[in-house]
């Protein structure tokens, strides 16, 4: 590790700070139809020709459905104190609905995983939903487009989890990145359930309305699940529950142009405050969004607003990078979802936002990460749980010495973990966890197996998906052992 730069950060993180790795069911489990698991919208998507970049499927993924003991042992060797994973709804309730049967084999798998983690002193952080809606609910009533039908189904799913796992799970996350689910799935149409206005890509959908309808359903159903937890389970189980939001940082392209400064704030509002303001600040959408979107943005009923405001015990934060934001002089297009701005790689002085990874949108920019931590802390003032952050690196195609000695990823973590330490020590931000994305290389959604975010290399061609630790795993361990108070 780059010791000099973090030397003064010894012990700056709370002694109960949780750190480790995050994963998502679809991306790692495999066993896509094993032991009674039902189909999810991502199974359907991946089995539709032309949808995934390398034509791959998550049928086997990393086989963690079968290799969870080996995986927990590896996590243990990485020194982690927490592990964040998501549950597959259709593994637990194959058809998804409130009156549909529970699959005991699915319950057993997660129960075993939780026990194995606890036996190794690793705290489970459990996400209820990481994008994999049961296909049956999509077919039955259009999934999240139908708030009235969907919400009771989601709440019943949540109640099964609290009942069966709540004795051992004390950290719950309802939704992972509701905004990415809506924008990629219903605006761009490049993720499941593959809807948009673009008829060259998708048969159905309306990018100008559906993302906002679906986003509203996510917020309201999240709030009802939290209400259930608080009223029926929290007192006895003593856990915490919240929602995780995505959000990269938006920096003005020209910091001396008030229009760019305003545009950058508007971009943060469209990307982050869309979900965070209703939950953590006002119980309503930001004024900038209402001004641009008018009636295309749903309205909260008085009851919904009351329920949504304060419905997260913490700010769940996923963030990877920073963009430069320039205002546009033309009026917003119908299918704009970003606040009528341009997102750029260099600023007005020609400065790059950071070194390129192997992923087109992702560049290393720890300077923006620290600004974002401050922006969130100032605007919302609730403890921040960082639930995802990480990078790909160019040229990771085989487990060679150079690839396993992943200097690019090491530089990324050195920068971002230093930013966290300084945000806590020098800016007074309250940060309580860090989960790097991700534990092993995995199935990166529509990018298939081409984008490797893991601190563990996976040989996807090999029998049993052989695991090879990368050096970054040990650097992250050293950094946290230095920064977390003993
Ligand atoms: C996370 O999403 C996911 O939770 C996780 O499952 C995934 O594997 C991981 O990141 C890595 O991708 O319009 O060009 O600016 C992050 C999703 C992807 C959302 C990039 C914002 C911006 C694309 N982010 N996207 S661009």
């Amino acid at each position: 590790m780059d010791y000099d730069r973090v030397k003064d950060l010894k012990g700056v993180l709370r002694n109960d700070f949780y750190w480790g790795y995050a994963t998502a069911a679809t991306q790692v489990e495999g066993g896509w139809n094993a032991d009674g698991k039902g189909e999810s919208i991502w199974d359907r998507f991946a089995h539709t020709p032309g949808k995934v970049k390398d034509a791959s499927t998550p049928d086997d993924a990393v086989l963690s459905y079968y290799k969870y003991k080996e995986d927990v042992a590896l996590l243990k060797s990485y020194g982690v104190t927490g592990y964040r994973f998501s549950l597959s709804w259709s593994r637990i309730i194959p058809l998804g609905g409130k009156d549909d049967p529970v699959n005991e084999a699915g319950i057993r798998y997660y129960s075993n995983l939780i026990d194995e983690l606890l036996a190794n002193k690793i705290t489970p952080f459990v996400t209820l939903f990481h994008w994999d809606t049961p296909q049956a609910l999509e077919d039955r009533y259009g999934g999240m487009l139908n708030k009235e039908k969907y919400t009771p189904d989601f709440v019943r799913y949540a109640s099964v989890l609290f009942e069966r796992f709540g004795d051992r799970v004390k950290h719950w996350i309802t939704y992972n990145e509701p905004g990415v689910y809506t924008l990629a799935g219903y605006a761009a149409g490049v993720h499941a359930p593959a809807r948009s206005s673009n008829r060259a890509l998708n048969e159905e959908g309306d990018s100008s309305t559906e993302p906002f309808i679906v986003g509203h359903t996510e917020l309201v159903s999240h709030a009802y699940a939290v209400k259930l937890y608080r009223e029926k389970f929290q007192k006895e189980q003593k856990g915490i529950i919240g929602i995780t939001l995505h959000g990269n940082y938006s920096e003005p392209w020209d910091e001396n142009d008030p229009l760019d400064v305003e545009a950058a704030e508007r971009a943060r509002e469209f990307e982050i405050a869309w979900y965070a303001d209703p939950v953590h600040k006002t119980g309503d959408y930001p004024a900038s969004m209402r001004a641009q979107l008018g009636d295309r943005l749903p309205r909260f009923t008085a009851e919904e607003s009351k329920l949504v405001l304060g419905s997260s015990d913490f700010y769940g934060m996923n963030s990877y990078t920073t963009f430069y934001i320039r205002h546009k002089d033309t009026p917003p297009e119908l299918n704009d979802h970003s606040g009528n701005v341009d997102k750029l790689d260099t600023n007005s002085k020609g400065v790059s936002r950071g070194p390129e990874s192997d992923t087109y949108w992702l560049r290393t920019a720890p300077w923006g990460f620290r600004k974002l931590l401050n922006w969130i802390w100032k605007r919302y003032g609730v403890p921040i749980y960082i639930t995802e952050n990480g990078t790909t690196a160019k040229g990771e195609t085989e487990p060679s010495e150079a690839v396993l000695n992943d200097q690019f990823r090491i530089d990324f973590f050195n920068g971002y973990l230093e930013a966290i330490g300084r945000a806590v020590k020098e800016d007074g931000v309250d940060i309580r966890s860090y989960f790097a994305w991700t534990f092993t290389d995995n199935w990166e959604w529509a990018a298939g197996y081409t984008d490797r975010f893991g601190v563990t290399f996976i040989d996807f061609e090999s029998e049993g998906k052989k695991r090879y630790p990368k050096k970054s795993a040990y650097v992250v361990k050293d950094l946290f052992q230095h920064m977390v108070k003993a």
Side-chain angles (χ1 to χ4, degrees):
M1 78 177 163
D2 201 342
Y3 185 70
D4 276 353
R5 86 197 246 189
V6 294
K7 203 167 177 173
D8 66 308
L9 298 177
K10 186 168 175 55
V12 297
L13 303 179
R14 319 160 46 102
N15 64 353
D16 60 353
F17 190 95
Y18 295 99
W19 72 271
Y21 296 91
T23 63
T26 305
Q27 295 182 267
V28 299
E29 285 180 0
W32 78 287
N33 60 2
D35 305 330
K37 178 180 169 294
E39 191 186 9
S40 81
I41 59 171
W42 274 96
D43 295 320
R44 177 69 60 90
F45 181 91
H47 290 119
T48 308
K51 294 292 186 202
V52 176
K53 188 169 153 189
D54 57 2
S56 66
T57 70
D59 293 4
D60 298 328
V62 190
L63 295 174
S64 59
Y65 182 66
Y66 302 97
K67 307 187 70 146
Y68 71 91
K69 284 199 177 173
E70 180 181 335
D71 283 346
V72 173
L74 189 55
L75 282 165
K76 179 87 184 158
S77 77
Y78 290 171
V80 307
T81 58
Y83 177 56
R84 172 177 178 241
F85 60 97
S86 84
L87 308 180
S88 156
W89 184 345
S90 62
R91 195 182 287 292
I92 291 170
I93 307 170
L95 296 174
K98 66 179 171 39
D99 301 317
D100 294 320
V102 170
N103 176 31
E104 288 301 325
I107 297 277
R108 209 171 307 124
Y109 167 64
Y110 293 115
S111 190
N112 289 340
L113 171 58
I114 290 163
D115 287 344
E116 189 71 14
L117 288 165
L118 291 173
N120 285 280
K121 300 201 167 39
I122 300 171
T123 300
F125 276 63
V126 175
T127 307
L128 278 58
F129 179 90
H130 199 127
W131 307 352
D132 47 354
T133 312
Q135 181 65 42
L137 301 186
E138 208 62 28
D139 296 341
R140 217 176 265 172
Y141 51 71
M144 288 191 210
L145 285 169
N146 191 331
K147 182 182 74 180
E148 266 62 45
K149 291 229 162 66
Y150 172 87
T151 300
D153 286 349
F154 181 71
V155 173
R156 188 280 190 132
Y157 165 54
S159 81
V160 170
L161 308 182
F162 302 148
E163 270 164 30
R164 306 299 288 271
F165 307 131
D167 55 338
R168 290 158 289 160
V169 173
K170 306 299 170 190
H171 298 85
W172 296 101
I173 293 161
T174 54
Y175 284 93
N176 177 72
E177 300 186 341
V180 173
Y181 183 74
T182 59
L183 291 177
Y186 294 84
V190 295
H191 277 189
R195 299 177 62 89
S196 77
S197 298
N198 179 355
R199 288 290 161 270
L201 195 61
N202 305 121
E203 281 161 33
E204 289 175 34
D206 182 344
S207 307
S208 74
T209 55
E210 290 186 359
F212 306 111
I213 294 169
V214 169
H216 197 76
T217 300
E218 289 174 299
L219 282 168
V220 170
S221 56
H222 147 82
Y224 277 104
V226 171
K227 177 179 154 74
L228 171 79
Y229 186 69
R230 287 181 176 164
E231 288 176 356
K232 285 219 180 122
F233 299 92
Q234 197 166 34
K235 213 168 151 228
E236 192 191 322
Q237 297 183 349
K238 299 188 173 53
I240 56 172
I241 187 163
I243 190 165
T244 275
L245 307 177
H246 83 290
N248 295 317
Y249 191 63
S250 292
E251 176 80 357
W253 182 74
D254 177 355
E255 61 191 7
N256 296 316
D257 183 342
L259 290 176
D260 284 352
V261 172
E262 210 177 282
E265 181 71 354
R266 199 166 57 246
R268 288 174 215 129
E269 291 181 347
F270 269 71
E271 186 176 357
I272 299 172
W274 173 10
Y275 293 91
D277 276 13
V279 170
H280 294 291
K281 189 173 158 72
T282 59
D284 198 3
Y285 296 116
S288 57
M289 292 187 74
R290 181 65 66 196
Q292 180 176 319
L293 302 167
D295 289 337
R296 288 188 284 127
L297 192 62
R299 286 174 204 278
F300 290 97
T301 65
E303 192 196 340
E304 286 174 349
S305 170
K306 229 177 107 200
L307 214 58
V308 168
L309 182 61
S311 63
S312 186
D313 294 331
F314 52 86
Y315 188 102
M317 173 191 184
N318 287 0
S319 187
Y320 289 80
T321 193
T322 291
F323 288 92
Y324 290 115
I325 301 296
R326 192 171 59 194
H327 75 279
K328 284 186 182 172
D329 290 319
T330 49
E333 283 166 23
L334 180 65
N335 288 328
D336 172 76
H337 303 86
S338 315
N340 200 31
V341 300
D342 283 319
K343 291 171 82 170
L344 302 165
D345 289 331
T346 46
N347 70 9
S348 60
K349 299 190 184 88
V351 177
S352 159
R353 62 194 176 97
E356 285 175 35
S357 68
D358 199 31
T359 301
Y360 74 96
W361 52 268
L362 209 179
R363 293 192 185 196
T364 306
W367 58 273
F369 192 63
R370 181 168 172 188
K371 288 189 179 190
L372 179 57
L373 285 164
N374 275 278
W375 186 82
I376 290 170
W377 176 240
K378 267 208 201 86
R379 189 170 175 118
Y380 302 116
V382 284
I384 297 173
Y385 283 70
I386 299 166
T387 42
E388 276 182 35
N389 171 247
T391 190
T392 54
K394 289 183 199 279
E396 290 192 347
T397 50
E398 53 179 286
S400 66
E401 212 184 300
V403 164
L404 298 182
N405 202 332
D406 52 339
Q407 194 57 46
F408 184 85
R409 189 173 288 99
I410 290 168
D411 291 344
F412 180 97
F413 285 132
N414 269 319
Y416 280 70
L417 299 198
E418 181 192 0
I420 290 168
R422 299 218 177 279
V424 169
K425 183 184 176 207
E426 292 161 23
D427 310 335
V429 181
D430 184 352
I431 307 175
R432 310 240 177 140
S433 79
Y434 179 86
F435 292 93
W437 188 269
T438 180
F439 175 41
T440 66
D441 295 337
N442 65 29
W443 192 69
E444 176 56 25
W445 308 108
Y449 293 105
T450 63
D451 272 25
R452 294 173 177 271
F453 277 85
V455 296
T456 311
F457 187 93
I458 298 290
D459 181 354
F460 289 108
E461 305 302 317
S462 68
E463 175 91 18
K465 315 283 174 189
K466 202 161 166 3
R467 284 118 167 93
Y468 298 85
K470 302 179 194 175
K471 191 176 168 195
S472 55
Y474 303 107
V475 171
V476 168
K477 177 180 181 177
D478 285 350
L479 282 165
F480 279 111
Q481 290 186 343
H482 174 69
M483 294 203 317
V484 175
K485 199 167 169 192

